[in-house]
């Protein structure tokens, strides 16, 4: 069945569903209004889009964020949804007011754009391809009973922004008004200044720019570089997560490109298979019909030979094969083979594992990846590439190759000769001039600094699993650092450092030492990136970030106070241990003192004269006599030495004073 488009004259035949009865009643009341010198026109608008979106806002947001990757459409998606850009609708109102079309022929006017095929699925596919991943998924229609319970007034006027499914359930194939599109859809038939004449799909980039401007969305393009081991990937992942942008690491990017849109390829392959089967089926039907037609023609000839020339009465007329409208599937042109994907796959498959991919292929792959929707919409964090000035130039500048010479056949001689160049010398020079790729160029360049000893210190803190990677083996790390240092050494006479490339292109550099505190380094990077203002981009607000920073500072202060408390506790413990040790020492000393005092008391009880006569005087006398005999140079020292020798005779003996038990 082919659905014939409605015309403006069919408006009297419209029968609304229950949800749209109120709108129909309002339209009838307006059309029935009669008053002298008052002309009534009613513009039946299609689903509006543009200037920020309302109905399609959910799809634009999902496609921009690519969360989820597939955009939803209802059922099989073949229903027709009339659309109109809001600017075109405003211009239509202005044109009707100025031109005052004749009544009643132009009282009910279709305010829709001139979309060639306005099926619901094609509209959603245009959004997905132009902004998102290109993937689609079918979802069920909303439950009517649930809709009535949720919306008791049964009018969709208040529901458009609440549920996108309600307006996209329309199935109206309407023809654009002749006031705005001439007969035969001629471009210059009507004097009307269209903004999006061909509809949403054909103007998706214009509508996307309007959506981003209205929502305050802009890409955040960051390049982070530094010597190997300085923390590029660590901070790159943090920045990518914070700004919700792709984290592009060369190693992962290559694998990603090789398997790019595998799901889409499989889906398109299946659709092509279905189309091929349908085509084969209809070719079989045509062949069968052609065979019947030939048999009928032969039968008519035989009957004319029997006396009824020129007639084939009684012969069955062949059925007319009317091929149905082609199913709404993506055409072969919807998936173009990616050249860089083929080049990467060919190189990987034809070279030994671990072979280094040529720089020109890497540069082309990076350019292609940065031109994808997610990078163009939200931005990116390019991690660790380019490494040198030449690689940076190769990524962000593209130089056209010199055109191949063309050959023609000389009419006079019949020989094949080279055709004259179509471009003169100046034009060729301009053509070969490197073209700056502004759309993929980073807005922020972060350079992590770190000396070799500092890098080695950071590497020692890596876990065992990380160190298993061949990149972090000692020999490989040494080689990588030497290459990076050679390419980026300041003041080198042989090579220009990569940072010079970005300085030459008026990019403000942000250099930071890699040994700082992680949170503070990240905050410094964020402040630099947002130096021209923080984009909306469905990110956390500055208020939330400030609250998070306050929480971090509070946590840091709590840790600091806890550290002070532990330090004080440790000092108290040491002091307590020292005090206990001193107390123990004092206790033992006190015991010794008590013993000594007891001994002193015992000595005090002795008869001093007896003690001296028995123990001291004899030895002292003997010593003095001996000293006089010897006559030493130092008599006192000699006497002391003599007494000391004699003291050995008394060692181990104890003096028992008179009256004691031992003496008795």
């Amino acid at each position: 069945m082919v659905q014939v488009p409605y015309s403006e004259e069919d408006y009297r035949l419209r029968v609304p569903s229950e949800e749209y009865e109120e709108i129909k009643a309002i339209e009838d009341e307006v059309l029935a209004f009669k008053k002298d010198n008052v002309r009534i026109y009613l513009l039946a608008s299609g689903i509006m889009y543009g200037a920020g979106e309302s109905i399609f806002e959910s799809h634009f947001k999902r496609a921009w964020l690519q969360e989820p990757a597939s955009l939803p459409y209802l059922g099989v998606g073949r229903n027709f949804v009339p659309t109109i850009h809001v600017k075109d609708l405003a211009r239509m109102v202005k044109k009707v007011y100025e031109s005052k079309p004749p009544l009643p022929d132009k009282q009910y006017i279709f305010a829709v754009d001139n979309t060639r095929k306005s099926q619901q699925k094609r509209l959603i596919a245009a959004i997905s391809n132009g902004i998102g991943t290109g993937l689609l998924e079918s979802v069920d229609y909303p439950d009517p009973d649930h809709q009535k319970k949720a919306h008791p007034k049964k009018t969709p006027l208040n529901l458009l922004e609440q549920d996108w499914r309600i307006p996209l359930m329309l199935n109206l194939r309407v023809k654009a008004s002749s006031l705005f599109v001439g007969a035969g859809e001629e471009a210059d038939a009507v004097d009307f200044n269209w903004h999006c004449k061909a509809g949403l799909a054909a103007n998706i980039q214009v509508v996307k720019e309007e959506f981003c401007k209205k929502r305050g969305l802009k890409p955040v393009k960051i390049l982070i570089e530094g010597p190997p081991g300085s923390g590029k990937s660590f901070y790159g992942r943090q920045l990518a997560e914070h700004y919700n942008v792709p984290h592009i690491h060369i190693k992962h990017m290559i694998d990603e490109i090789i398997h790019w849109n595998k799901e889409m390829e499989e889906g398109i392959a299946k659709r092509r298979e279905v189309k091929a089967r349908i085509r084969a089926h209809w070719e079989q039907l045509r062949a069968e019909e052609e065979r019947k037609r030939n048999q009928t023609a032969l039968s008519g000839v035989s009957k004319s030979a029997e006396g009824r020339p020129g007639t084939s009465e009684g012969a069955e007329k062949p059925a007319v094969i009317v091929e149905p409208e082609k199913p709404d599937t993506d055409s072969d042109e919807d998936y173009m083979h990616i050249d860089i994907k083929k080049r990467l796959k060919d190189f990987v498959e034809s070279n030994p594992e671990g072979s280094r991919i040529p720089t020109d292929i890497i540069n082309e792959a990076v350019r292609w990846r940065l031109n994808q929707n997610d990078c163009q919409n939200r931005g990116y964090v390019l991690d660790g590439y380019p490494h040198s000035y030449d690689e940076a130039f190769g990524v962000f500048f593209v130089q056209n190759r010199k055109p191949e010479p063309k050959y023609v056949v000389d009419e006079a001689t019949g020989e094949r000769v080279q055709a004259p160049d179509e471009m003169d010398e100046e034009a060729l020079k301009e053509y070969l001039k490197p073209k700056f790729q502004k759309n993929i160029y980073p807005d922020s360049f972060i350079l992590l600094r770190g000396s070799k000893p500092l890098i080695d210190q950071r590497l020692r803190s890596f876990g065992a699993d990380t160190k298993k990677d061949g990149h972090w083996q000692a020999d490989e790390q040494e080689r990588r650092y030497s290459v990076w240092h050679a390419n980026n050494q300041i003041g080198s006479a042989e090579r220009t450092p990569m940072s010079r490339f970005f300085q030459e292109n008026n990019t403000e550099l942000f250099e930071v030492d890699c040994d700082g505190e992680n949170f503070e380094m990240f905050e410094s990077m964020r402040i630099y990136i947002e130096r021209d203002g923080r984009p909306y981009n469905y990110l956390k607000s500055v208020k939330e970030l400030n609250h998070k920073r306050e929480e971090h500072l509070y946590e840091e202060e709590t840790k600091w106070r806890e550290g002070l408390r532990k330090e004080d506790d440790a000092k108290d413990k040491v002091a307590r241990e020292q005090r206990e040790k001193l107390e123990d020492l004092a206790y033992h000393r006190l015991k010794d003192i008590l013993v000594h005092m007891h001994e002193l008391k015992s000595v005090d009880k002795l008869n001093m004269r007896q003690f001296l006569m028995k123990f001291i005087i004899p030895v002292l006398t003997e010593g003095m006599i001996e000293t006089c005999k010897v006559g030493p140079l130092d008599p006192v020292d000699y006497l002391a030495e003599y007494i000391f020798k004699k003291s050995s005779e008394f060692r181990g003996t104890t003096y028992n004073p008179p009256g004691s038990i031992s003496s008795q």
Side-chain angles (χ1 to χ4, degrees):
M1 182 184 69
V2 178
Q3 186 174 352
V4 178
Y6 290 101
S7 64
E8 293 171 339
E9 291 75 17
D10 297 326
Y11 77 92
R12 294 182 178 87
L13 306 178
R14 67 196 192 283
V15 178
S17 59
E18 188 177 11
E19 295 82 13
Y20 292 89
E21 286 179 351
E22 185 173 347
I23 295 180
K24 169 68 161 48
I26 294 173
E27 288 185 352
D28 290 341
E29 187 174 352
V30 171
L31 291 171
F33 182 80
K34 303 294 183 183
K35 189 175 182 179
D36 294 341
N37 299 323
V38 175
R39 301 170 68 91
I40 302 297
Y41 297 97
L42 196 150
L43 273 70
S45 167
I47 302 301
M48 287 181 284
Y49 63 88
E53 302 309 312
S54 57
I55 296 172
F56 291 108
E57 197 272 341
S58 173
H59 285 83
F60 270 71
K61 178 180 178 180
R62 292 186 186 188
W64 196 87
L65 292 173
Q66 297 190 5
E67 295 177 2
S70 300
L71 292 190
Y73 64 92
L74 296 171
V76 295
R78 296 181 188 171
N79 58 302
F80 290 90
V81 180
T83 56
I84 184 67
H85 193 285
V86 65
K87 287 186 178 181
D88 287 327
L89 178 60
R91 293 174 182 178
M92 289 176 178
V93 173
K94 183 173 183 291
K95 180 174 178 60
V96 170
Y97 173 78
E98 292 175 346
S99 61
K100 297 179 177 59
L103 297 175
D105 296 340
K106 291 297 181 183
Q107 187 172 20
Y108 197 92
I109 301 169
F110 284 160
V112 297
D113 54 34
N114 198 31
T115 304
R116 190 172 64 90
K117 291 184 178 181
S118 61
Q119 289 98 330
Q120 179 214 160
K121 184 179 178 181
R122 286 187 175 273
L123 296 176
I124 305 303
I127 298 173
S128 185
N129 291 323
I131 305 176
T133 61
L135 301 177
L136 303 173
E137 65 173 349
S138 176
V139 298
D140 296 331
Y141 285 93
D143 182 7
D145 294 332
H146 173 74
Q147 178 183 338
K148 291 178 182 179
K149 292 178 183 178
H151 312 295
K153 293 185 178 181
K154 296 184 297 184
T155 170
L157 293 177
N158 301 327
L159 315 180
L160 299 182
E161 296 185 11
Q162 298 179 24
D163 193 345
W164 59 269
R165 296 175 297 179
I166 303 233
L168 294 190
M169 288 169 61
L170 289 174
N171 188 17
L172 294 172
R173 188 175 185 180
V174 298
K175 187 177 181 181
S177 176
S178 59
L179 290 173
F180 316 115
V181 178
E185 300 182 357
E186 297 175 4
D188 57 349
V190 175
D191 182 19
F192 183 75
N193 182 22
W194 280 92
H195 181 67
C196 291
K197 178 180 179 181
L200 175 62
N203 298 278
I204 186 62
Q205 293 303 319
V206 174
V207 180
K208 183 192 79 171
E209 291 175 5
E210 295 174 350
F211 174 78
C212 293
K213 183 178 180 180
K214 187 72 174 181
R215 293 291 189 276
L217 309 175
K218 63 179 182 179
V220 180
K221 302 175 183 177
I222 306 167
L223 190 150
I224 185 167
E225 185 54 83
S230 59
K232 300 185 297 296
S233 297
F234 174 77
Y235 291 109
R237 285 190 296 268
Q238 284 193 333
L239 291 170
E241 181 180 357
H242 177 81
Y243 290 106
N244 190 22
V245 298
H247 177 216
I248 300 177
H249 189 281
I250 297 302
K251 181 180 178 181
H252 302 151
M253 182 199 71
I254 292 172
D255 185 67
E256 185 182 45
I257 292 177
I258 292 176
H259 298 89
W260 187 264
N261 273 351
K262 188 176 181 180
E263 181 180 351
M264 181 181 290
E265 284 188 58
E266 293 174 351
I268 290 176
K270 291 179 181 178
R271 289 195 289 271
R272 288 177 179 174
E273 183 180 350
V274 171
K275 291 167 69 176
R277 288 204 303 268
I278 294 174
R279 189 160 45 248
H281 171 70
W282 284 104
E283 289 176 355
Q284 182 180 357
L285 289 179
R286 289 194 188 95
E288 183 68 20
E289 185 59 29
E290 184 66 23
R291 185 181 62 78
K292 290 181 179 180
R293 188 180 293 110
N294 292 337
Q295 290 179 353
T296 302
L298 291 174
S299 176
V301 171
S302 62
K303 290 181 179 181
S304 63
E306 294 177 0
R308 287 177 292 179
T311 180
S312 58
E313 293 181 4
E316 182 180 356
K317 292 184 178 181
V320 178
I321 300 295
V322 180
E323 185 175 348
E325 185 177 6
K326 293 182 179 179
D328 182 28
T329 58
D330 296 324
S331 64
D332 292 347
E333 290 74 21
D334 290 333
Y335 175 77
M336 301 299 293
H337 188 79
I338 303 173
D339 291 335
I340 186 59
K341 177 177 179 178
K342 183 177 184 304
R343 291 183 66 187
L344 281 173
K345 289 184 68 174
D346 291 346
F347 181 87
V348 172
E349 293 172 358
S350 60
N351 289 274
E353 185 177 357
S355 300
R356 297 191 180 278
I357 301 175
T359 303
D360 61 329
I361 297 181
I362 296 290
N363 292 343
E364 184 179 349
V366 172
R367 280 198 303 272
W368 182 87
R369 182 65 185 90
L370 298 185
N371 272 295
Q372 297 310 298
N373 283 338
D374 53 354
C375 294
Q376 288 296 298
N377 292 337
R378 289 178 283 141
Y380 59 80
V381 174
L382 184 56
D383 171 12
Y385 193 88
H387 301 296
S388 64
Y389 184 98
D390 293 338
E391 289 176 350
F393 188 89
V395 170
F396 299 111
F397 277 88
V398 175
Q399 185 171 9
N400 295 323
R401 297 180 180 178
K402 187 176 181 179
E404 295 291 335
K406 296 181 179 180
Y407 294 90
V408 296
V409 177
D410 191 345
E411 297 179 356
T413 62
E415 296 180 356
R416 186 169 177 267
V417 296
Q418 183 174 341
D421 294 336
E422 297 179 357
M423 294 185 291
D424 57 19
E425 185 176 351
E426 288 296 327
L428 180 61
K429 184 177 180 181
E430 182 64 26
Y431 177 78
L432 296 178
K433 184 179 179 181
K435 303 298 189 297
F436 179 54
Q437 306 298 296
K438 183 176 177 57
N439 62 314
I440 65 172
Y441 185 77
D443 302 315
S444 303
F445 175 54
I446 299 173
L447 180 61
L448 298 175
R449 295 182 305 223
S451 62
K452 187 65 168 62
L454 182 60
I455 298 297
D456 293 340
Q457 182 180 350
R458 290 193 78 257
L459 294 179
R460 284 193 290 270
S461 66
F462 284 8
D465 294 338
T466 305
K467 292 181 179 179
K468 290 180 181 179
D469 192 336
H471 271 10
W472 306 116
Q473 298 298 324
D475 295 342
E476 178 64 11
Q477 170 65 12
E478 184 70 26
R479 184 196 66 80
R480 293 169 61 215
Y481 184 86
S482 299
V483 172
W484 191 92
H485 184 70
N487 288 331
N488 295 277
Q489 185 177 4
I490 302 297
S492 174
E494 298 178 358
R495 300 183 183 180
T496 305
M498 182 186 59
S499 58
R500 186 75 55 79
F501 172 83
F502 295 96
Q503 290 173 336
E504 291 174 354
N505 289 279
N506 301 321
T507 302
E508 180 183 349
L509 272 63
F510 179 71
E511 299 184 59
V512 59
D513 292 329
C514 65
D515 60 342
E517 197 272 329
N518 292 338
F519 184 84
E520 293 300 330
M521 286 184 65
F522 177 82
E523 282 296 293
S524 299
M525 294 177 189
R526 184 185 67 81
I527 293 172
Y528 157 71
I529 293 168
E530 300 173 13
R531 59 195 180 278
D532 295 326
R534 180 174 176 82
Y536 172 64
N537 290 15
Y538 303 104
L539 302 175
K540 293 181 179 179
S541 64
V542 176
K543 184 177 180 180
E544 291 176 298
L545 293 177
N546 290 337
H547 180 67
K548 182 179 179 181
R549 178 167 178 78
E550 288 175 359
E551 289 181 344
H552 175 77
L553 293 175
Y554 176 77
E555 183 180 351
E556 288 292 320
E557 184 177 359
T558 303
K559 289 181 179 179
W560 175 71
R561 293 184 181 278
E562 182 67 17
L564 288 179
R565 187 186 65 78
K566 290 181 179 180
E567 186 178 349
D568 292 340
D569 291 345
K571 290 180 179 179
D572 292 342
K573 182 179 179 181
V574 172
R576 185 168 59 253
E577 291 176 352
Q578 290 179 347
R579 184 169 60 252
E580 291 175 353
K581 186 176 180 180
L582 291 174
E583 289 176 353
D584 185 65
L585 180 61
Y587 173 75
H588 287 87
R589 286 183 176 179
L590 180 61
K591 289 178 63 177
D592 294 340
I593 292 172
L594 292 174
V595 172
H596 184 65
M597 290 178 67
H598 178 73
E599 292 177 351
L600 289 177
K601 289 179 180 180
S602 300
V603 171
D604 289 341
K605 294 178 181 180
L606 293 176
N607 188 316
M608 184 62 65
R609 184 173 179 279
Q610 294 177 351
F611 178 80
L612 291 173
M613 292 299 295
K614 185 174 182 179
F615 294 101
I616 304 300
I617 298 301
V619 176
L620 182 60
T621 303
E622 185 178 350
M624 292 175 67
I625 294 171
E626 185 67 23
T627 302
C628 292
K629 289 180 180 181
V630 175
L633 295 177
D634 189 350
V636 176
D637 183 67
Y638 183 84
L639 178 61
E641 183 69 22
Y642 180 84
I643 295 173
F644 179 76
K645 289 180 181 181
K646 283 292 183 178
S647 67
S648 60
E649 298 177 6
F650 296 97
R651 290 176 184 171
T653 62
T654 304
Y655 172 70
N656 295 318
S660 65
I661 296 176
S662 297
S663 64
Q664 293 177 2

